[in-house]
Amino acid sequence: MPTTAKSSQLAVADALTALLRDTATEPRPDIQLEALALAVAADLPVLLWGEPGIGKTAALTQLAASLDLPLTTVIASVHEPSDFSGLPVVGDDPAEHGIPMAPPDWAVRLVRAGRGLLFLDELSTAPPAVQAALLRLVLERRIGSLRLPPGVRIVAAANPRSSAADGWELSPPLANRFVHLQWAHDHEVVVRGLGGIWPRTTLPRLDPDRLPEAVEFARRAVCGLLAARPTLVHRLPTTETRRGGAWPSPRSWDMTLNLVAFSVAAGSSRDVLSLLVRGTVGDGPGLELLASLDRMDLPDPEELLADPAGAVLPERGDLRQATLDGVVAAVRARPDQERWDAAWALLVRALETGAPDLVVVPATTLAALRREDWDVPAAVEHLAGVVSLSRRADRASERVVRAEAKAGR
Amino acid sequence: MTTTGAPTTGAPTTGAPTDTLDRDKLFAARLQAARARPYLATALFALHTVESRRVPTMGVDRYWRCYVSPAFVARTPVEELAGVWVHEVSHLLRDHHGRSDRVARQRGLTGPGDRLRMNIAADCEINDDVYGDGLVRPKGVVQPSTLGLQPGELMEDYLRRFGLGSITQYLAWLDCGSGADGLDRDWELGPEGAHGLSAREQDAVRFRVAQGINGRPGNVPKGWQRWAEEAFHPPQPWRELLGAAVRSAASGAGAGEDYTYGRPSRRSAGLPGVVLPSLRRTPPRVSVVIDTSGSVSDAELGSALLEVAAISRAVGGRRDLVTVLACDAATRVVHPLCSAEGIPLLGGGGTDLRTGFAKALRTRPRPDVVVVLTDGQTPWPKAQPACRTVVGLFTRERGRRTWREDNPEYTPSGPPAWARVVEIG
């Protein structure tokens, strides 16, 4: 009798556990996970920086499921260096055959399967010799005498430098080989998840039709920026604050080029690309690349000039002004009456569809481009309001100057 | 947000006859603002304006939409509107909504008045340095002096200094929107509404503005220059940096926990004839050399010293493994850190840290790490010492020249490249 009571108690406990495990999922975009998926797809070494216990493993499980790869998690801090560099096995005649370095069982299984997702957790809490062995595994994909097949993807995770117990950090050459992704938890997601509903993310799928376009775009973007800004090609981190993080070098720019191409092929958002690019070449150069991508997105001035009536101008004020400035610059580069008229038509269109103050500077510059034999187009009359707007601002400025002078005296 | 007209005409909606928004006046003001502050033009033009009768004057949300009250535009002169434009865009550029959220989380500020206080503190941070030089200060804006505070501080600092009371009574309806204090308002369009900027787009605009300022810092006020320098590289607290540097130096090869061939591993039993390394712990020895010359204040020294002691204990250095040397022109005291709180620091003359280095390296057994706390006004050793070196450098205001009686031409060189340098303070 007592045994059945005990086992039934266990059965009740099991039922309670089952009930707790019974959670639902809801679709929710997650740019961190998307960025991770793209970097893994591009087969670049990824380093996740995040405090322990914020769901890195859960994220990796979801990623492995969606990529249809078996997940192998290795907690670095409980291993010895020989687990990664191989255990020496003494044969019959070491002098003749040498001593082979035997790999651990999980590595053998991984190689036999030919594919899988290897997650090296807690990289920063392992002793230095283990870290060295692990870094070799991540970067050279070798465990003892085994070489991991190309179907195996590797992701490593570490605690941020400020919270790692022993101040673990990467030397700049090592840091340069990784895509650094900051992993943070989303308060809302955690609360909802503990309430029983975890997020489900649809991960990016690469579109086979867009591959050539993606490569062309990525090359144009990266080469365009680096041609104009040669100092961005290589910049070693100098200050203590930036140690151990991403920095630009030809190697990391090559990784960035890959990531841009992958994000275009997957149709990912710029937010995802932003995480990846800043995690590869660092914040400053990454933001510059993103800014130049924004400029590549602006409508082509020649197309706008060819069809002013059907032109679609960007909605956002700063982008709209940059577009109009581009149009005026195009007219200046190759001036003739027809293009000049088309530019005026565009300015009128901009005035009709958006804020008037954006038109002031382009209109002033365009007016200055006039040649003596060009007739002033009728469209200019629509811009009379712009002139008065500009005057109004001027008068306000004068009042300020007078008031300041008075206060100064 | 200004409090123009409050409290006399005071109310958010005065029922004035001006029902339609005077767009020309509003945008003439933006144009004037962009002319007065060309480096802010990108940010000003990136704002999407929304006409709203619910906002008292002008306000912004965290998606860079700018809500404008038609009645407010009608009663405010163009030049004051220009100031308001710059004020509102400053909230967004300085990330007041994100900082408010962070400060609320850190300090547990959840009360009904706390977000209003954040809005007021954020206004103080902006209003003490954006006006003048072609831009008028709108009437009735909150200034630090309104609350009896000193100008030139950050929102987080102002927030500690005042509470809501009679002095802030007339500010109770002040409202710059969620862009200023992170609290969503029901009259805002929210994340789903049209024309919002995503976090990345906001970063891009901030970056453009910061680049513009860094490119031509000459004509830009100090406050904005500081913002531009720190916009994407916020200074890290020196405690964390110093801690990371000392920990990493103390746990490097030869010290701390690592594998060694000095003893065979227990696994060796299973592999006869093979030598495997085993895990051994060698606690790091840390020598702290302290510059006690007159130029470093006691308070600075005290806080930095306690920090180093705490860090070296945390990495496993026992107290007897941490030694402290006070050093000016000659190194005076070699003191084991047994009485941690009472280290006598003698000195006060000129500095020559080279003697301190020499003495630290002469101690036996040799230290694994030398930590130097100094203001840098000293000659440094020519050659790299045979152990890791971390320099905690007390920062001095730029432009303060050092002067020596016997050698007026003397300028100290910075710390050498082989040391890891953390700026303190």
Side-chain angles (χ1 to χ4, degrees):
Chain A
M1 212 48 206
T3 45
T4 42
K6 253 183 208 162
S7 66
S8 73
Q9 265 302 302
L10 269 184
V12 175
D14 286 347
L16 180 57
T17 312
L19 208 54
L20 282 168
R21 294 239 171 92
D22 184 20
T23 51
T25 57
E26 62 180 358
R28 186 191 173 96
D30 182 342
I31 63 168
Q32 290 186 126
L33 197 54
E34 269 186 53
L36 175 63
L38 276 184
V40 167
D43 200 14
L44 296 171
V46 183
L47 190 52
L48 300 183
W49 292 94
E51 309 287 342
I54 57 163
K56 293 192 289 275
T57 312
L60 262 292
T61 311
Q62 201 195 350
L63 180 65
S66 76
L67 293 174
D68 195 23
L69 291 172
L71 175 69
T72 307
T73 303
V74 176
I75 310 280
S77 47
V78 299
H79 284 270
E80 290 191 13
S82 51
D83 290 343
F84 303 107
S85 55
L87 273 163
V89 178
V90 188
D92 295 337
D93 187 357
E96 182 71 20
H97 303 290
I99 297 178
M101 303 295 268
D105 63 333
W106 57 262
V108 175
R109 279 204 298 274
L110 209 52
V111 171
R112 203 173 290 151
R115 48 201 288 284
L117 184 60
L118 176 58
F119 179 40
L120 304 170
D121 204 357
E122 308 266 348
L123 194 58
S124 51
T125 43
V130 174
Q131 288 166 11
L134 271 175
L135 288 172
R136 179 162 174 267
L137 165 57
V138 176
L139 301 170
E140 295 174 27
R141 309 176 60 95
R142 297 190 76 98
I143 311 174
S145 52
L146 274 186
R147 193 175 177 83
L148 291 176
V152 175
R153 300 292 156 96
I154 309 174
V155 178
N159 299 335
R161 188 154 71 101
S162 53
S163 69
D166 51 1
W168 183 73
E169 63 181 29
L170 286 173
S171 67
L174 273 180
N176 195 235
R177 288 172 160 87
F178 283 99
V179 178
H180 302 254
L181 290 180
Q182 307 295 330
W183 210 259
H185 70 271
D186 185 340
H187 177 76
E188 217 176 294
V189 169
V190 172
V191 172
R192 248 184 111 60
L194 293 175
I197 299 170
W198 289 101
R200 181 183 60 223
T201 314
T202 37
L203 289 173
R205 302 225 157 267
L206 300 172
D207 180 355
D209 298 334
R210 297 187 68 182
L211 303 186
E213 173 205 344
V215 171
E216 196 271 336
F217 179 84
R219 293 208 166 124
R220 197 155 48 93
V222 173
C223 300
L225 175 70
L226 294 185
R229 297 289 318 275
T231 52
L232 285 184
V233 174
H234 191 270
R235 201 185 272 168
L236 253 167
T238 47
T239 61
E240 191 68 22
T241 331
R242 297 185 208 175
R243 269 181 96 95
W247 56 277
S249 79
R251 186 209 326 269
S252 51
W253 279 114
D254 181 48
M255 287 160 62
T256 304
L257 199 149
N258 284 326
L259 289 168
V260 174
F262 269 80
S263 81
V264 172
S268 319
S269 70
R270 283 286 157 79
D271 299 277
V272 173
L273 185 60
S274 168
L275 287 184
L276 288 168
V277 168
R278 290 164 75 172
T280 310
V281 289
D283 275 346
L287 285 161
E288 287 209 33
L289 178 67
L290 291 161
S292 76
L293 289 182
D294 284 347
R295 254 167 273 142
M296 282 169 71
D297 286 343
L298 294 181
D300 181 9
E302 294 301 333
E303 278 173 27
L304 292 176
L305 284 172
D307 179 20
V312 181
L313 295 166
E315 198 62 43
R316 230 174 84 191
D318 56 328
L319 300 180
R320 173 173 285 224
Q321 195 178 35
T323 309
L324 295 176
D325 284 343
V327 166
V328 174
V331 173
R332 184 205 300 272
R334 208 150 48 79
D336 66 37
Q337 166 101 48
E338 202 185 325
R339 288 160 68 80
W340 193 64
D341 289 351
W344 283 115
L346 272 172
L347 291 187
V348 171
R349 201 171 159 72
L351 188 65
E352 285 163 354
T353 56
D357 52 339
L358 303 171
V359 184
V360 172
V361 175
T364 321
T365 328
L366 192 62
L369 291 179
R370 178 171 176 240
R371 302 274 166 90
E372 275 174 25
D373 53 334
W374 293 355
D375 296 327
V376 176
V380 171
E381 282 194 16
H382 293 283
L383 292 165
V386 170
V387 179
S388 72
L389 188 83
S390 177
R391 292 224 182 95
R392 200 168 177 181
D394 283 340
R395 280 199 302 274
S397 302
E398 283 161 19
R399 282 199 297 274
V400 175
V401 171
R402 269 203 305 276
E404 278 175 1
K406 211 165 140 191
R409 252 185 283 134
Chain B
M1 173 74 43
T2 77
T3 56
T4 309
T8 44
T9 55
T13 45
T14 51
T18 47
D19 277 317
T20 51
L21 176 64
D22 185 348
R23 281 167 50 88
D24 280 354
K25 186 174 181 185
L26 182 67
F27 289 122
R30 182 161 80 169
L31 187 62
Q32 194 220 323
R35 282 177 181 168
R37 299 283 185 273
Y39 46 90
L40 299 182
T42 304
L44 284 166
F45 290 146
L47 288 177
H48 179 79
T49 45
V50 179
E51 185 177 337
S52 166
R53 260 151 254 276
R54 306 274 306 278
V55 62
T57 53
M58 267 169 85
V60 282
D61 70 8
R62 53 170 81 225
Y63 308 98
W64 287 59
R65 299 189 196 94
C66 182
Y67 302 83
V68 186
S69 148
F72 173 67
V73 172
R75 68 171 184 256
T76 313
V78 175
E79 57 269 34
E80 278 190 32
L81 275 177
V84 179
W85 270 109
V86 170
H87 175 100
E88 298 301 342
V89 88
S90 301
H91 277 307
L92 297 173
L93 282 170
R94 298 180 183 198
D95 189 26
H96 279 154
H97 50 93
R99 285 161 61 191
S100 292
D101 288 346
R102 279 194 290 279
V103 104
R105 227 173 301 137
Q106 277 164 14
R107 301 186 195 164
L109 301 176
T110 50
D114 283 329
R115 292 289 175 168
L116 174 61
R117 285 206 304 132
M118 288 173 203
N119 197 155
I120 295 173
D123 277 11
C124 285
E125 179 190 311
I126 294 173
N127 291 339
D128 63 8
D129 63 356
V130 295
Y131 303 114
D133 193 22
L135 213 57
V136 268
R137 182 193 310 274
K139 272 193 212 90
V141 295
V142 196
Q143 289 185 71
S145 56
T146 323
L147 305 168
L149 303 172
Q150 291 296 313
E153 297 201 36
L154 296 177
M155 167 205 152
E156 286 84 352
D157 300 323
Y158 285 129
L159 194 57
R160 288 178 206 279
R161 308 269 155 80
F162 70 95
L164 296 179
S166 58
I167 197 165
T168 58
Q169 195 66 55
Y170 78 105
L171 303 172
W173 61 273
L174 174 144
D175 193 348
C176 282
S178 66
D181 56 17
L183 180 72
D184 291 330
R185 313 291 204 273
D186 59 355
W187 42 265
E188 291 177 350
L189 298 179
E192 304 301 326
H195 305 306
L197 261 59
S198 74
R200 190 200 68 79
E201 289 171 314
Q202 299 177 14
D203 272 354
V205 173
R206 275 200 203 103
F207 183 71
R208 290 284 302 273
V209 173
Q211 241 187 344
I213 292 174
N214 286 333
R216 236 173 315 156
N219 341 333
V220 182
K222 268 232 162 60
W224 280 113
Q225 282 184 37
R226 198 180 57 194
W227 170 83
E229 277 167 22
E230 294 175 359
F232 287 96
H233 297 289
Q236 275 200 18
W238 64 265
R239 277 169 219 280
E240 282 181 18
L241 285 176
L242 185 66
V246 174
R247 280 198 300 251
S248 129
S251 61
E257 210 174 25
D258 206 353
Y259 285 87
T260 160
Y261 283 89
R263 271 174 185 229
S265 161
R266 280 183 298 172
R267 276 190 186 181
S268 299
L271 287 166
V274 176
V275 183
L276 288 176
S278 65
L279 194 58
R280 278 289 160 269
R281 187 171 179 76
T282 354
R285 284 169 216 283
V286 180
S287 279
V288 187
V289 179
I290 300 171
D291 179 350
T292 49
S293 61
S295 46
V296 182
S297 83
D298 289 354
E300 284 177 330
L301 274 181
S303 66
L305 184 56
L306 282 179
E307 204 61 32
V308 173
I311 294 158
S312 50
R313 272 204 295 280
V315 290
R318 302 188 306 266
R319 275 188 177 189
D320 54 319
L321 297 178
V322 182
T323 32
V324 177
L325 291 85
C327 166
D328 51 6
T331 303
R332 306 254 178 135
V333 189
V334 180
H335 211 275
L337 197 63
C338 289
S339 50
E341 282 74 38
I343 302 153
L345 297 176
L346 304 179
T351 325
D352 189 348
L353 273 183
R354 287 174 300 192
T355 61
F357 266 104
K359 191 134 194 170
L361 294 172
R362 267 204 307 278
T363 48
R364 290 287 175 272
R366 277 236 298 265
D368 297 300
V369 190
V370 174
V371 180
V372 184
L373 300 175
T374 175
D375 61 354
Q377 317 281 346
T378 171
W380 295 89
K382 287 252 171 355
Q384 177 169 7
C387 68
R388 285 150 221 272
T389 310
V390 177
V391 176
L393 198 63
F394 296 102
T395 46
R396 291 281 171 266
E397 276 175 45
R398 260 170 245 160
R400 202 183 109 166
R401 305 296 301 261
T402 46
W403 186 80
R404 262 192 186 181
E405 224 170 314
D406 51 337
N407 181 7
E409 299 296 304
Y410 165 80
T411 42
S413 54
W418 40 258
R420 295 187 55 168
V421 182
V422 177
E423 296 204 347
I424 294 179

